[in-house]
Amino acid sequence: MNILEVKNLSFSYNKAKIIDDVNFKVSKGELFGIIGPNGSGKSTLLKLLSNIIKGEDGDIFLLRKELSQYRRKDLARVLAVLPQSTEIGFEFSVKEIVEMGRHPYLENWQGISQADKKVIDKALKLTNTISLADKLINSISGGERQRVLLARALVQEAELLLLDEPTSALDINYQLEIFELLSRLTREGTTIVVVLHDLNLASQYCDRLLLLNQGKVNTIGIPDEVITLNNIKDVYGCDVEVDNSGRRPYVKLVTSNE
């Protein structure tokens, strides 16, 4: 079953084409990665999928319904977004920030129920942020905020998660921890679309990859089909080695000895 389907999607800014005739599908329970160099349109594509901005051409279908046809509250029950920025302008506690993810399920003036609290506590534990629950959100590090915002996305219990560089501020230990969590979530039926700069994380954990270049789809497929010497050279313009001796391809930069 396709959770997400994108057809002939295009978007321009100041007459410059940022996304150009993009087509792809994402199946239920898939961890789908979007990769490409800076300026390739990755974050713009995620904003289009999040309904933050509107495409000028093409269609986006979520659960076989046009994205534009969802009411805001209904959309928040099936789609959760983790943005790249972790900046928050108000001093809420970590627990209050995570609780906000339950708002799509609350009626007017309804408080957090015991069932909601169980969902919240589970998300705090999964993201290893339960020890931060009573701290103010802006008193913790950027990496900690990133994990808190992931917890907020998880408590929406959405069928589709859209994540923009979810591990960019995390050390290697937490990067692996978060991706192990994402893999577990997909095995349990959640569908995840993630924008990544790290080609090796993308290769190791994603079921399929979409390689963007100047707003266009260069390649879509399993990591072995996308992470190739020719693709990386063509799109990124740098010399690399691609090691295919392991389970997934591994990219190594070629450095000069001079």
Side-chain angles (χ1 to χ4, degrees):
M1 174 184 174
N2 292 325
I3 295 293
L4 180 68
E5 184 171 1
V6 177
K7 294 183 176 181
N8 309 116
L9 186 64
S10 295
F11 175 81
S12 298
Y13 181 73
N14 286 342
K15 297 184 180 180
K17 190 78 77 174
I18 309 299
I19 298 296
D20 190 358
D21 196 28
V22 167
N23 293 268
F24 64 94
K25 299 176 182 179
V26 182
S27 300
K28 181 176 176 61
E30 190 171 17
L31 181 47
F32 185 89
I34 300 173
I35 58 174
N38 290 339
S40 61
K42 301 186 302 296
S43 291
T44 299
L45 178 56
L46 208 70
K47 288 178 182 177
L48 289 163
L49 301 180
S50 308
N51 210 33
I52 294 172
I53 57 178
K54 309 290 184 182
E56 62 195 34
D57 291 304
D59 299 290
I60 301 171
F61 294 92
L62 176 58
L63 296 171
R64 299 179 180 175
K65 179 178 177 179
E66 284 194 25
L67 190 63
S68 60
Q69 299 303 309
Y70 279 91
R71 295 188 305 167
R72 185 173 180 179
K73 192 169 186 177
D74 292 336
L75 182 60
R77 292 180 178 179
V78 295
L79 173 65
V81 181
L82 175 63
Q84 189 172 17
S85 173
T86 64
E87 296 302 317
I88 295 175
F90 301 95
E91 282 291 9
F92 292 105
S93 71
V94 163
K95 191 170 186 180
E96 288 171 330
I97 291 292
V98 177
E99 286 176 350
M100 291 176 185
R102 294 304 295 171
H103 286 182
Y105 299 94
L106 304 181
E107 301 299 331
N108 291 338
W109 312 113
Q110 179 184 350
I112 298 292
S113 68
Q114 287 301 315
D116 293 323
K117 289 178 181 179
K118 288 182 179 179
V119 174
I120 292 164
D121 286 344
K122 180 181 178 181
L124 288 168
K125 290 175 182 176
L126 284 173
T127 54
N128 200 17
T129 53
I130 197 161
S131 63
L132 305 173
D134 295 324
K135 294 187 177 183
L136 294 177
I137 189 65
N138 289 317
S139 71
I140 62 178
S141 71
E144 289 170 331
R145 283 199 301 273
Q146 207 157 19
R147 288 186 284 128
V148 169
L149 294 179
L150 176 58
R152 183 179 67 180
L154 293 180
V155 302
Q156 288 179 234
E157 296 185 304
E159 292 200 47
L160 176 63
L161 292 180
L162 302 179
L163 312 178
D164 194 354
E165 293 288 349
T167 58
S168 61
L170 303 181
D171 61 35
I172 185 64
N173 181 54
Y174 278 127
Q175 286 183 13
L176 297 178
E177 187 176 296
I178 291 299
F179 269 92
E180 289 295 332
L181 170 58
L182 298 182
S183 295
R184 171 183 165 184
L185 291 171
T186 57
R187 290 194 298 270
E188 294 173 354
T190 302
T191 305
I192 299 174
V193 175
V194 56
V195 165
L196 285 168
H197 271 104
D198 191 316
L199 297 180
N200 289 321
L201 273 178
S203 177
Q204 181 176 351
Y205 285 100
C206 293
D207 299 306
R208 285 190 306 137
L209 298 170
L210 184 161
L211 176 58
L212 273 181
N213 186 24
Q214 297 181 346
K216 296 182 179 181
V217 175
N218 177 278
T219 317
I220 297 178
I222 62 173
D224 284 324
E225 297 168 334
V226 178
I227 306 293
T228 68
L229 186 63
N230 287 337
N231 283 345
I232 302 306
K233 281 187 174 182
D234 288 346
V235 173
Y236 289 85
C238 59
D239 289 327
V240 298
E241 294 178 357
V242 178
D243 183 352
N244 291 297
S245 62
R247 187 176 64 91
R248 299 285 184 94
Y250 186 86
V251 178
K252 301 176 183 178
L253 285 175
V254 176
T255 57
S256 172
N257 292 323
E258 297 181 0

